[in-house]
Each structure stands twice: as C-alpha cells, then as structure tokens.
Amino acid sequence: MPPHAQDTHHPDTTVPSPRTPSGTPPLAPPATPLPAPRTAPGACPGRLSARHRPAGPPRGTPPSRRALPVHTAFAERLLAVLSGERPVHSMLGLTVGEAYEQLVRLAPRTAARVPGPRPVLRRCAAQPHSGDTVLEVFASLAAGHRVRALAFRLERGPDHRWRCAAVELDGLGRLADGGPRP
C-alpha cells in the first residue's frame, strides 16, 4: 500500500509515511553481504560445477560441434578398446562375423596398451565399396613418437546400422589366428 493511502476497509484511517526528524525518508537498512560462492580453486565464479550443471545443452540449441563421420567414430571406439581404455565387450553389438574374435585376440597383445601417452587418432579415411553399404577404413594412430596403422571394414546391415566386420592393426589381424603372415 502506498504511503498516505487510505485503507479501503477503514475509511477513517491513513497510513503515515515513515520520516526522520529532519523530514527526509529514512535510508534503507544496511544490506548484509551475500556469502561468496563456493567454487573449486581456479574455477570461474558464477559458473556451475560439472556436478551441478545440466547433462546436456538446453533443448532447442544447435550442437556446437558437428557429429563425427561414422568411420571416424568407429576408429575412436576401436582405439579405446585396443588401448585398454574400454573393454572388448563394449563392441559386442557393433561387430559382425570374425571382427569380435579378432578384437578379443588383438586387444591383449597390442603395443597400444603399453604405459605412456594415450594413443590418438591422427588420420582416418574411408573408401566406399558396394554402393553405400561397405566402407574400407584406414587410419593412423600415434602414441608418443610411434605411429601405427589400423584398418577395418564397416558393413551396413538391413537395419541401416553400421557394424565392424574385420579389424587389422599393423597387419596383426592376419596373425590373430596364430598362423604365419603370407
């Protein structure tokens, strides 16, 4: 209710405005300072920590990065398995034919599992075959000063999902069955 306004319930009463002895309105009471936000050392104040941040971008906002091509995404997954970062069984639904057995035999024996810098994908390219249902993919991996070759075959199934059908690392795919290299 504004100062000097009449109360509608009691027409005889008015609300006096608060005044100081000098006739000026009083100052607002002193504000209590807000506690400083608790952030991790080195974190930007005002930003939410990862624990308190929403899981993804707000709905309706376009993604900031473009999605990886299917062959590059598969190369990253294979690299994670071959480096020991992910278990081989994480590729169960993403492989067909002998590819899973090749990964089971390759993963424990690859030098990509040695301690040191995590291997990274340097280059990845695909050559389409049989129209758009088969991709022959070749990639180069780097771990420290060492560069390795990765080759794999992707096949698109009747459900339009891509699956890995064969894997070779530095030609070790041919040795996965224990036989001599041709």
Side-chain angles (χ1 to χ4, degrees):
M1 188 163 29
H4 302 295
Q6 295 249 340
D7 186 358
T8 57
H9 297 292
H10 302 284
D12 304 339
T13 60
T14 59
V15 177
S17 72
R19 297 271 178 194
T20 60
S22 66
T24 60
L27 296 175
T32 57
L34 294 175
R38 295 190 302 182
T39 58
C44 296
R47 295 191 68 186
L48 295 174
S49 69
R51 196 172 71 188
H52 299 288
R53 202 174 310 134
R59 291 179 188 234
T61 57
S64 60
R65 291 181 19 182
R66 293 188 311 182
L68 291 175
V70 67
H71 63 278
T72 306
F74 260 92
E76 289 285 351
R77 284 180 179 257
L78 289 170
L79 176 60
V81 168
L82 293 172
S83 67
E85 192 174 302
R86 295 185 71 159
V88 177
H89 70 265
S90 67
M91 294 295 291
L92 264 174
L94 302 172
T95 56
V96 293
E98 287 292 314
Y100 185 75
E101 274 43 331
Q102 289 170 332
L103 281 173
V104 167
R105 290 187 288 258
L106 277 174
R109 297 179 4 176
T110 60
R113 289 179 160 250
V114 296
R118 180 200 183 277
V120 293
L121 186 64
R122 286 181 52 187
R123 288 193 173 163
C124 187
Q127 180 67 42
H129 291 284
S130 303
D132 62 348
T133 60
V134 175
L135 292 175
E136 294 287 340
V137 184
F138 45 96
S140 61
L141 314 174
H145 296 294
R146 185 166 186 191
V147 177
R148 309 204 52 195
L150 173 68
F152 57 97
R153 179 182 175 99
L154 294 177
E155 296 177 356
R156 187 185 296 205
D159 60 353
H160 300 286
R161 290 180 57 204
W162 290 97
R163 291 181 179 84
C164 184
V167 180
E168 286 191 20
L169 180 68
D170 295 334
L172 293 176
R174 294 183 215 142
L175 297 176
D177 60 357
R181 189 185 240 163

Short mmCIF file of all heavy atoms in Angstrom, two decimals, residues 7 32 35 43 47 65 68-69 109 112 118 141 145-147 158 176 179:
data_model
loop_
_atom_site.label_atom_id
_atom_site.label_comp_id
_atom_site.label_asym_id
_atom_site.label_seq_id
_atom_site.Cartn_x
_atom_site.Cartn_y
_atom_site.Cartn_z
N ASP A 7 -6.93 3.25 3.85
CA ASP A 7 -7.25 1.83 3.93
C ASP A 7 -8.70 1.69 3.49
O ASP A 7 -9.59 2.34 4.03
CB ASP A 7 -7.06 1.34 5.38
CG ASP A 7 -7.25 -0.15 5.51
OD1 ASP A 7 -7.55 -0.80 4.50
OD2 ASP A 7 -7.08 -0.65 6.64
N THR A 32 23.03 -6.92 4.22
CA THR A 32 24.04 -7.87 4.68
C THR A 32 24.71 -8.45 3.45
O THR A 32 24.03 -8.80 2.48
CB THR A 32 23.41 -8.99 5.52
OG1 THR A 32 22.40 -9.62 4.74
CG2 THR A 32 22.81 -8.46 6.80
N PRO A 35 27.12 -14.34 1.02
CA PRO A 35 28.34 -15.15 1.11
C PRO A 35 28.93 -15.37 -0.28
O PRO A 35 28.21 -15.43 -1.26
CB PRO A 35 27.87 -16.46 1.74
CG PRO A 35 26.41 -16.52 1.47
CD PRO A 35 25.94 -15.10 1.39
N ALA A 43 38.36 -22.25 -10.54
CA ALA A 43 37.13 -22.27 -11.31
C ALA A 43 36.63 -20.84 -11.48
O ALA A 43 36.92 -19.96 -10.69
CB ALA A 43 36.07 -23.12 -10.63
N ARG A 47 29.97 -19.81 -12.58
CA ARG A 47 29.73 -20.97 -13.44
C ARG A 47 29.42 -22.16 -12.55
O ARG A 47 29.98 -22.32 -11.48
CB ARG A 47 30.95 -21.29 -14.29
CG ARG A 47 31.23 -20.15 -15.28
CD ARG A 47 32.23 -20.55 -16.27
NE ARG A 47 31.65 -21.59 -17.11
CZ ARG A 47 32.33 -22.25 -18.03
NH1 ARG A 47 33.59 -21.99 -18.19
NH2 ARG A 47 31.76 -23.16 -18.75
N ARG A 65 29.36 -28.75 -31.93
CA ARG A 65 30.27 -29.47 -32.81
C ARG A 65 29.46 -30.35 -33.73
O ARG A 65 28.40 -30.83 -33.38
CB ARG A 65 31.19 -30.37 -31.99
CG ARG A 65 32.18 -29.61 -31.18
CD ARG A 65 33.10 -30.48 -30.40
NE ARG A 65 33.17 -31.84 -30.87
CZ ARG A 65 33.89 -32.78 -30.31
NH1 ARG A 65 34.59 -32.50 -29.25
NH2 ARG A 65 33.90 -34.00 -30.77
N LEU A 68 30.78 -36.70 -35.63
CA LEU A 68 31.87 -37.34 -36.37
C LEU A 68 31.30 -38.24 -37.45
O LEU A 68 30.25 -38.85 -37.27
CB LEU A 68 32.71 -38.20 -35.41
CG LEU A 68 33.54 -37.47 -34.37
CD1 LEU A 68 34.19 -38.49 -33.44
CD2 LEU A 68 34.58 -36.61 -35.03
N PRO A 69 32.01 -38.39 -38.57
CA PRO A 69 31.59 -39.37 -39.57
C PRO A 69 31.62 -40.76 -38.95
O PRO A 69 32.39 -41.02 -38.01
CB PRO A 69 32.62 -39.23 -40.68
CG PRO A 69 33.31 -37.94 -40.44
CD PRO A 69 33.17 -37.63 -38.98
N ARG A 109 47.26 -58.20 -26.90
CA ARG A 109 48.60 -58.30 -27.47
C ARG A 109 49.11 -57.01 -28.09
O ARG A 109 50.25 -56.96 -28.51
CB ARG A 109 48.61 -59.38 -28.56
CG ARG A 109 48.29 -60.73 -28.02
CD ARG A 109 48.27 -61.82 -29.05
NE ARG A 109 48.63 -61.43 -30.39
CZ ARG A 109 48.73 -62.28 -31.39
NH1 ARG A 109 48.48 -63.56 -31.19
NH2 ARG A 109 49.05 -61.87 -32.59
N ALA A 112 49.67 -50.93 -28.18
CA ALA A 112 48.95 -49.70 -27.82
C ALA A 112 48.59 -49.70 -26.35
O ALA A 112 48.22 -48.68 -25.80
CB ALA A 112 47.70 -49.56 -28.68
N ARG A 118 48.41 -41.71 -24.09
CA ARG A 118 47.27 -42.40 -24.70
C ARG A 118 47.37 -42.26 -26.21
O ARG A 118 47.62 -41.18 -26.72
CB ARG A 118 45.97 -41.77 -24.20
CG ARG A 118 44.74 -42.43 -24.80
CD ARG A 118 43.53 -41.51 -24.69
NE ARG A 118 42.33 -42.13 -25.17
CZ ARG A 118 41.98 -42.16 -26.47
NH1 ARG A 118 42.76 -41.63 -27.38
NH2 ARG A 118 40.84 -42.72 -26.83
N LEU A 141 47.42 -44.12 -36.10
CA LEU A 141 47.36 -43.85 -34.66
C LEU A 141 48.72 -43.41 -34.20
O LEU A 141 49.74 -43.91 -34.68
CB LEU A 141 46.96 -45.12 -33.90
CG LEU A 141 45.80 -45.93 -34.44
CD1 LEU A 141 45.65 -47.22 -33.65
CD2 LEU A 141 44.53 -45.13 -34.38
N HIS A 145 56.03 -41.12 -29.96
CA HIS A 145 56.71 -40.97 -31.24
C HIS A 145 56.36 -42.08 -32.22
O HIS A 145 56.77 -42.04 -33.37
CB HIS A 145 58.23 -40.93 -31.03
CG HIS A 145 58.67 -39.74 -30.23
ND1 HIS A 145 58.54 -38.46 -30.69
CD2 HIS A 145 59.19 -39.63 -28.99
CE1 HIS A 145 59.00 -37.62 -29.79
NE2 HIS A 145 59.39 -38.30 -28.73
N ARG A 146 55.63 -43.08 -31.75
CA ARG A 146 55.32 -44.22 -32.60
C ARG A 146 54.00 -44.00 -33.35
O ARG A 146 53.01 -43.56 -32.78
CB ARG A 146 55.21 -45.48 -31.74
CG ARG A 146 55.01 -46.70 -32.56
CD ARG A 146 55.23 -47.93 -31.77
NE ARG A 146 55.15 -49.07 -32.68
CZ ARG A 146 55.09 -50.29 -32.31
NH1 ARG A 146 55.13 -50.59 -31.04
NH2 ARG A 146 55.02 -51.26 -33.18
N VAL A 147 54.00 -44.36 -34.63
CA VAL A 147 52.80 -44.27 -35.46
C VAL A 147 52.43 -45.68 -35.89
O VAL A 147 53.29 -46.46 -36.29
CB VAL A 147 53.03 -43.37 -36.70
CG1 VAL A 147 51.80 -43.34 -37.59
CG2 VAL A 147 53.41 -41.97 -36.27
N PRO A 158 20.79 -54.64 -42.77
CA PRO A 158 19.44 -54.34 -43.25
C PRO A 158 18.70 -53.33 -42.36
O PRO A 158 17.76 -52.68 -42.79
CB PRO A 158 18.72 -55.69 -43.24
CG PRO A 158 19.64 -56.66 -42.62
CD PRO A 158 20.97 -56.03 -42.46
N ALA A 176 46.10 -62.97 -36.06
CA ALA A 176 45.25 -63.19 -34.90
C ALA A 176 44.91 -64.68 -34.72
O ALA A 176 44.70 -65.12 -33.62
CB ALA A 176 43.97 -62.38 -35.01
N GLY A 179 48.44 -68.11 -37.25
CA GLY A 179 49.13 -68.60 -38.44
C GLY A 179 50.18 -67.63 -38.91
O GLY A 179 50.23 -66.47 -38.50
#
